[in-house]
């Protein structure tokens, strides 16, 4: 152990003696490690941010629908199935159909084109993840009683009334030649896309109401559904909820194995996006890693120069009894220390750079301990690998030829 520490001290002394050359040698390693750390950390941070955004939007959303291509498929869903799923399937937040229709909304500020959404109380999770910031969502009692109530988003309230303090106020909706007055019971927070659209003077109104009221008020008369939405508590339970729901419904309609009831889970699309982002991150990291190879070649070249410069020193040491193994370890230690120091500096620069860049784009970088450990080990391995040839060349020098070297 004492001998190894002696090699390290000699290596540090030689690096200190040739500061400029050592820094230039480290530069390739620093750039390579910093690039890899930054790309992986930014990629992981972006993946995490996108997954959180997608999860908050519709992470637990599952579409259950009847297969129109299945021969003799007479399966349809009713409110009986809604209640059955909510009662029997674990980790279900709610079940709802969803109907969207274009209508005209009339308020104090005039008439506007509006997208009218109808569904059960779980519609609040199917339409969007934005919270109710004023008032409340329509209740099961209001749904069962076909109450003429609605929920607007903030931008819709401002467009119709010039303010968001509209809970308890009324608006008129014109659809299919029928006009109905709806009482506003809640205001939903705007989406980011909606805010941008509103700032640009565009956008349309969004009105959410009980489907029962839409049916009774506008003559829609929908009681059977070929597609419904099941909302899991989170994307973590999506696969389980989807499988349990399909099993429950197939048993209910006695169509097991007939492929008459299908499903699509938003979590599956989310996993695909995550996989694509992961592949892109790995590919770019691989490209950045090429600079590590260049840096390693730079280490080898400088170490070869160092061997040439210190040929007489090697000859003197070998003539005084230094073994080939000692010379080999001395030069390997120097190459490893150069790359390790360069790697540590690169890790610091890469980590700080990733944090700074990600914060400027509004999401957090993920500098993982595993990434830092990998970079540290990799930089040391590069030093050892590219230091082997110069070290072996130094170790194999003949003492007589080394002493005669000018």
């Amino acid at each position: 152990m004492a001998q190894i520490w002696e090699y390290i001290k000699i290596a540090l002394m030689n690096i200190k003696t040739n500061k400029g050359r050592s820094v230039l040698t480290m530069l390739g390693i620093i750039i390579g490690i910093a690039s890899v750390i930054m790309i992986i950390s930014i990629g992981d941070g972006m993946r995490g941010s996108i997954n959180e955004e997608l999860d908050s939007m519709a992470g637990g959303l599952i579409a259950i629908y009847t297969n129109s291509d299945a021969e003799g498929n007479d399966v349809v869903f009713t409110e009986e199935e809604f209640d059955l799923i909510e009662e029997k399937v674990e980790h279900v937040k709610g079940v709802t159909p969803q109907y969207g229709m274009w209508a005209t909304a009339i308020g104090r500020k005039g008439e506007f084109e509006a997208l009218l959404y109808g569904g059960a109380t779980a519609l609040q999770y199917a339409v969007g993840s934005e919270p109710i910031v004023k008032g409340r969502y329509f209740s099961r009692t209001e749904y069962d009683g076909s109450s003429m109530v609605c929920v607007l988003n903030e931008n819709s309230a401002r467009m119709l009334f010039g303010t968001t303090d509209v809970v308890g106020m009324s608006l008129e909706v014109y659809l299919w030649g029928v006009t109905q007055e709806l009482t506003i019971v809640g205001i939903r927070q705007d989406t980011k896309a909606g805010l941008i659209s509103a700032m640009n003077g565009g956008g349309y109104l969004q009105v959410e109401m009980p489907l029962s009221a839409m049916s009774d008020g506008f003559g829609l008369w929908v009681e059977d559904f070929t597609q419904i939405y099941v909302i899991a508590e989170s994307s973590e339970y999506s696969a389980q909820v989807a499988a349990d729901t399909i099993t429950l419904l197939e048993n209910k309609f006695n169509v097991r194995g007939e492929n008459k009831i299908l499903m699509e889970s938003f979590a599956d699309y989310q996993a695909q996006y995550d996989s694509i982002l992961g592949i892109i991150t790995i590919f770019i990291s691989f490209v950045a890693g090429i600079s590590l190879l260049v840096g390693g070649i730079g280490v080898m070249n400088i170490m070869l120069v160092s061997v040439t410069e210190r040929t007489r020193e090697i000859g003197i040491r070998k003539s005084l009894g230094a073994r080939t193994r000692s010379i080999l370890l001395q030069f390997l230690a120097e190459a490893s220390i150069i790359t390790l120091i360069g790697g540590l500096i690169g890790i610091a620069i890469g980590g700080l750079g990733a944090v700074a860049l990600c914060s400027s784009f509004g999401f957090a970088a993920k500098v993982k301990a595993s990434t830092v450990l990998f970079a540290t080990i990799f930089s040391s391995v590069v030093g050892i690998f590219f230091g082997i040839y110069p070290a072996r060349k130094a170790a194999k020098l003949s003492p007589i030829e080394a002493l005669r070297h000018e």
Side-chain angles (χ1 to χ4, degrees):
M1 189 68 186
Q3 195 173 20
I4 293 175
W5 177 241
E6 190 65 28
Y7 296 148
I8 292 173
K9 286 199 294 185
I10 293 171
L12 289 171
M13 183 179 66
N14 286 325
I15 291 171
K16 187 177 180 181
T17 302
N18 299 284
K19 294 187 186 72
R21 188 170 69 187
S22 298
V23 170
L24 290 174
T25 305
M26 292 176 191
L27 195 57
I29 300 296
I30 292 170
I31 293 171
I33 292 292
S35 300
V36 171
I37 290 285
M38 282 183 67
I39 290 168
I40 293 177
S41 299
I42 291 171
D44 287 343
M46 185 180 295
R47 286 170 66 187
S49 177
I50 290 173
N51 283 332
E52 286 177 10
E53 189 73 23
L54 291 175
D55 193 48
S56 67
M57 285 171 58
L61 189 64
I62 304 159
I64 306 291
Y65 57 97
T66 59
N67 186 359
S68 58
D69 295 328
E71 186 176 349
N73 191 358
D74 56 357
V75 174
V76 291
F77 308 122
T78 64
E79 291 189 18
E80 182 182 343
E81 281 70 56
F82 302 174
D83 296 335
L84 185 66
I85 294 168
E86 291 180 350
E87 179 184 345
K88 298 293 186 182
V89 180
E90 294 184 348
H91 306 297
V92 170
K93 191 185 292 186
V95 182
T96 183
Q98 178 180 307
Y99 272 77
M101 298 180 181
W102 289 103
T104 301
I106 307 166
R108 192 168 61 197
K109 304 282 285 185
E111 296 184 4
F112 300 91
E113 188 177 32
L115 184 54
L116 192 63
Y117 285 109
T121 55
L123 181 69
Q124 61 179 309
Y125 310 116
V127 169
S129 62
E130 290 70 29
I132 302 298
V133 292
K134 293 180 181 179
R136 58 175 175 80
Y137 211 76
F138 60 82
S139 65
R140 179 60 185 264
T141 302
E142 289 167 330
Y143 175 80
D144 292 339
S146 302
S147 300
M148 291 295 171
V149 294
C150 70
V151 173
L152 304 178
N153 60 18
E154 292 175 305
N155 183 51
S156 299
R158 280 190 291 266
M159 289 174 69
L160 280 168
F161 300 99
T163 177
T164 58
D165 295 321
V166 294
V167 173
M169 298 173 66
S170 299
L171 72 150
E172 292 183 343
V173 173
Y174 178 79
L175 175 66
W176 294 340
V178 178
T179 300
Q180 291 288 347
E181 187 176 278
L182 305 181
T183 301
I184 303 166
V185 296
I187 299 295
R188 186 195 287 274
Q189 188 179 77
D190 282 330
T191 63
K192 292 178 182 177
L195 282 171
I196 294 171
S197 180
M199 288 172 63
N200 291 331
Y204 52 83
L205 272 62
Q206 180 175 304
V207 182
E208 302 165 41
M209 65 180 295
L211 181 59
S212 55
M214 185 186 290
S215 296
D216 291 351
F218 299 102
L220 184 62
W221 307 117
V222 178
E223 295 181 352
D224 300 330
F225 309 95
T226 57
Q227 177 171 311
I228 58 175
Y229 292 94
V230 178
I231 298 91
E233 292 174 354
S234 72
S235 58
E236 178 185 354
Y237 301 112
S238 290
Q240 177 188 336
V241 168
D244 291 348
T245 301
I246 292 293
T247 300
L248 178 69
L249 292 175
E250 285 184 339
N251 289 336
K252 167 74 165 51
F253 292 103
N254 196 26
V255 291
R256 290 183 299 275
E258 297 182 22
N259 203 37
K260 288 187 176 181
I261 302 175
L262 305 177
M263 73 88 185
E264 285 185 1
S265 174
F266 189 83
D268 294 337
Y269 295 108
Q270 187 175 347
Q272 291 177 17
Y273 298 146
D274 184 66
S275 177
I276 292 169
L277 287 172
I279 292 170
I280 292 172
T281 301
I282 291 170
F283 175 74
I284 297 175
S285 299
F286 174 77
V287 174
I290 294 174
S291 62
L292 277 175
L293 178 64
V294 176
I297 293 172
V299 171
M300 182 172 65
N301 288 338
I302 293 300
M303 292 307 298
L304 284 171
V305 172
S306 181
V307 169
T308 303
E309 288 181 346
R310 292 155 62 188
T311 300
R312 285 181 60 83
E313 174 195 329
I314 295 167
I316 293 171
R317 289 192 64 197
K318 295 195 78 172
S319 66
L320 292 175
R323 289 180 293 180
T324 299
R325 177 174 173 272
S326 298
I327 302 297
L328 177 67
L329 288 176
Q330 177 189 335
F331 280 88
L332 271 181
E334 188 170 333
S336 299
I337 289 171
I338 286 174
T339 50
L340 181 58
I341 293 173
L344 293 175
I345 295 172
I347 289 169
I349 293 173
L352 292 172
V355 170
L357 280 172
C358 288
S359 62
S360 67
F361 286 105
F363 62 92
K366 287 190 177 180
V367 185
K368 297 180 180 177
S370 57
T371 305
V372 173
L373 180 63
F374 167 77
T376 305
I377 294 173
F378 193 80
S379 62
S380 298
V381 169
V382 166
I384 293 170
F385 180 80
F386 286 101
I388 285 175
Y389 176 68
R392 282 174 59 85
K393 183 177 179 181
K396 288 183 177 182
L397 283 174
S398 164
I400 296 173
E401 293 296 326
L403 288 169
R404 291 175 56 188
H405 180 78
E406 292 295 334

